[in-house]
């Protein structure tokens, strides 16, 4: 397995946390457009980061044969 593929879920979850903090900061400042963009990026990065981890757990437990 490639190193980039192996560490990409971790990188995406870190980015998700960064965008979540940015979302809170923009919300406090009253920047609605930036807050909305940060919220969308948070959800996208979290979703793309968590799916491979779920598939790895399912594969390890025998529920998924991918």
């Amino acid at each position: 397995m490639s190193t980039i593929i192996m560490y990409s879920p971790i990188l995406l979850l870190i980015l998700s946390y960064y965008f979540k903090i940015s979302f809170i900061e923009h919300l406090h400042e009253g920047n609605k457009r930036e807050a909305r963009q940060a919220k969308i990026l948070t959800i996208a990065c979290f979703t793309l980061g968590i799916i491979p981890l779920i598939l790895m757990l399912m594969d390890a437990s025998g529920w998924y044969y991918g």
Side-chain angles (χ1 to χ4, degrees):
M1 184 184 284
S2 174
T3 305
I4 294 173
I5 293 172
M6 190 168 67
Y7 291 116
S8 64
I10 296 168
L11 178 64
L12 285 168
L13 290 175
I14 291 170
L15 282 173
S16 171
Y17 182 73
Y18 169 75
F19 289 128
K20 181 176 80 171
I21 298 298
S22 296
F23 167 72
I24 294 170
E25 181 179 332
H26 293 309
L27 206 58
H28 272 253
E29 293 173 356
N31 299 332
K32 291 184 180 180
R33 184 178 60 88
E34 288 91 353
R36 184 175 185 272
Q37 290 173 349
K39 180 172 62 172
I40 290 169
L41 286 170
T42 300
I43 293 168
C45 287
F46 182 77
T47 303
L48 291 174
I50 203 76
I51 288 173
L53 295 176
I54 291 172
L55 291 177
M56 281 190 265
L57 287 173
M58 288 174 64
D59 188 32
S61 68
W63 282 38
Y64 174 76
Y65 301 106

